[in-house]
Amino acid sequence: MYFTVKAASHHRLPLYKTVLCVTCALILVVNGLFLFHNLDALKSANAQVLQSSRVAERLQYLDVLVQDAESSMRGYFISGNDVYLGPARSVFTKTEAEVRQLQTLLADNPAQLKNLAQLNTLIRRKLAMLNQAIDVYHHGGLDEIVTISRYGDDRGGMDEIRLQTVIMIQEQNETLAARSARFYEQYQNALALGVAINAVAIVVLVMFYRLVRRSYFRQAAVEHELQQSNENLEAMVAQRTEQLSVLSRHLISISEDEKSRLSRELHDEMGANLTSISMDIGAVLLQVQKTQPELAAQLKRARATLVETVELKRRIIEDLRPSLLDNLGLCAAIDSYTDDFTRMTKLPCDTEIGPEIDGIVREGDSSLSIALFRIVQESLTNIRKYAKASRVSVTLTRTKEGIVLRIIDDGIGIATDTLAKPMSHGILGMRERALLLGGTLTLRRGRGDKGTCIEARIPLKNRAPEGEREEVVVSSPLRQRADDHIPSLPPYSTRPHSVPVPHDPVQ
């Protein structure tokens, strides 16, 4: 498998998708602008309608003011009471105010302003006539007023005012109708344009949705294929890992068988040859010891070299396959190896082995004893090389689940990541040996969170009876304290076996 640190390429959105997005956004912006313009036109039309209504009301009110002034003057002529002159006296001020408001309302209509000027002239003329009539009444009395009204055209002024008012109201209504028609036409055009814009926007959105949907399903298909590929890779990796694990265990088993075969050949064939050579040297030495002293000295040196060769053979055999393991059992082999470890490293090593272990190992698989011994051997080798410990303990006991082997030291310990994922060949080899027997091997902190504890748990086919009271402490591999070991059966004596000295055939 190959890995790369090359940066991933930057993917951009396709051009046609960008164009569709921009087009849809522009269409929506234009539609919003047209909507704002239509709302503004509607507001203007409403203002013009309100303005026309106010103009009509002001014109009608102006006509009512003149009529009230005329009616109040007649009541004064008949009754002679000055109270009736109230409207006539205030009519001029009110009409001037109404005319100014109408000029403001009609500022955008020159024709209506011209009509308003004519109406204002007629109203002033009528008000001047009313003031003259009051003066005449004050000098000539009611008879003079009757005479003047009999020969004068008093109603003509009011009719002209009413006619001018009606004309202005009619023109204002016509203006309002024209403006409303124009606004309605513009509104229809804007509505049609807005519908068209919305239709185009909907079409563009549908196209964009289809593109997004197609891209989504395409991406989902790619992700599904990628997930299947990852699952296939994971299955392949798991299969390869299992194959490598099986191969590793097979190689371990073959290696142990080969070492056993080599040790037997060295012990039998080489031992026999060395014994024969030693016997021949001894016989020749007896014959030439008196007659040829120099040759006898050479034979003695050859005999000493032969003794060293015998010792070398013994060490090679013990390294390949401990003889104690086959002759006296696992307990004696571990005890002897820990004695040698203490003698070579000057590091105290406490050994605690249950008395029933040898019987269990003899009844079990032949690979069980060598696997446990190799785990102890590899653990003590790592402690001697790296731990910088001051004390080591080896515990081998029986539990309800099987056999538990613990090797604990108080050295510098192992890093947490190494505890979780050990990559050392020695540790991996110990783990494979435990897996070969169907067990597990875990690493954790030692006593008081110092040092390292290597624990191997090997299940047995025939478990202990329920009546046996044995305690097992199980916890997380990284948090369990190693000093919580198994205090069950009395420990195996740490010095019951003495290391046998091979018989020197030369002597």
Side-chain angles (χ1 to χ4, degrees), residues 292-446:
Q292 300 180 3
E294 296 180 356
L295 183 60
Q298 292 180 358
L299 290 176
K300 288 182 179 180
R301 288 195 297 271
R303 185 180 179 185
T305 303
L306 182 61
V307 172
E308 294 177 358
T309 304
V310 171
E311 182 63 23
L312 176 62
K313 180 209 65 165
R314 187 188 70 81
R315 290 200 303 269
I316 293 175
I317 291 175
E318 292 297 324
D319 289 338
L320 290 175
R321 178 80 176 189
S323 59
L324 290 178
L325 194 63
D326 297 325
N327 298 328
L328 299 179
L330 176 63
C331 299
I334 293 177
D335 190 27
S336 175
Y337 188 82
T338 55
D339 285 342
D340 293 340
F341 174 81
T342 301
R343 184 174 60 256
M344 291 184 346
T345 62
K346 307 301 181 180
L347 184 64
C349 182
D350 300 329
T351 305
E352 181 180 347
I353 303 176
E356 75 280 5
I357 297 299
D358 272 334
I360 296 173
V361 172
R362 281 194 297 270
E363 294 175 0
D365 191 359
S366 60
S367 60
L368 176 60
S369 59
I370 188 61
L372 293 174
F373 180 82
R374 294 301 185 193
I375 292 174
V376 173
Q377 187 181 32
E378 183 65 30
S379 300
L380 294 180
T381 301
N382 291 336
I383 292 173
R384 177 175 57 84
K385 291 181 179 180
Y386 311 110
K388 298 180 181 180
S390 60
R391 196 168 194 83
V392 183
S393 65
V394 177
T395 304
L396 182 61
T397 55
R398 166 72 187 274
T399 65
K400 293 181 180 179
E401 288 77 15
I403 295 177
V404 177
L405 171 64
R406 289 192 182 96
I407 300 97
I408 307 172
D409 67 83
D410 58 354
I412 59 176
I414 304 177
T416 303
D417 54 348
T418 307
L419 287 175
K421 297 180 179 180
M423 297 302 295
S424 171
H425 294 90
I427 297 176
L428 293 177
M430 290 189 291
R431 179 164 293 175
E432 290 299 325
R433 289 182 183 276
L435 292 175
L436 182 62
L437 299 173
T440 59
L441 186 135
T442 56
L443 279 75
R444 59 176 183 269
R445 296 297 182 188

Side-chain angles (χ1 to χ4, degrees), residues 2 11-12 60 95 104 120 182 198 244 289 354 358 385:
Y2 297 94
H11 299 283
R12 295 183 178 179
Q60 292 176 358
T95 54
T104 303
N120 189 22
R182 186 168 60 254
N198 287 334
L244 291 175
Q289 187 172 8
D358 272 334
K385 291 181 179 180

Side-chain angles (χ1 to χ4, degrees), residues 40 42 53 61 74 100 218 238 243 281 292 302 308 335 407 441 455 463 472 489:
D40 192 23
L42 180 61
S53 177
Y61 183 63
R74 290 175 181 175
R100 286 193 297 271
R218 186 179 303 168
Q243 291 176 354
I281 292 175
Q292 300 180 3
E308 294 177 358
D335 190 27
I407 300 97
L441 186 135
E455 179 181 271
R463 295 189 176 183
V472 182
L489 298 174

Side-chain angles (χ1 to χ4, degrees), residues 32 98 106 129 161 166 171 199 219 240 279 285 298 373 376 382 410 463:
E98 292 297 326
L106 297 174
M129 291 176 61
I161 293 173
V166 170
E171 289 182 357
Q219 183 179 1
R240 296 295 186 188
M279 293 174 62
L285 181 61
Q298 292 180 358
F373 180 82
V376 173
N382 291 336
D410 58 354
R463 295 189 176 183

Side-chain angles (χ1 to χ4, degrees), residues 225-261:
E225 293 178 358
L226 182 60
Q227 183 178 2
Q228 286 185 341
S229 177
N230 290 335
E231 291 177 355
N232 293 335
L233 288 176
E234 289 178 359
M236 186 180 298
V237 169
Q239 183 180 5
R240 296 295 186 188
T241 304
E242 181 63 24
Q243 291 176 354
L244 291 175
S245 181
V246 172
L247 177 61
S248 174
R249 299 168 200 168
H250 179 65
L251 293 177
I252 290 175
S253 178
I254 291 178
S255 175
E256 291 298 335
D257 293 341
E258 186 68 17
K259 289 179 180 180
S260 178
R261 184 184 64 81

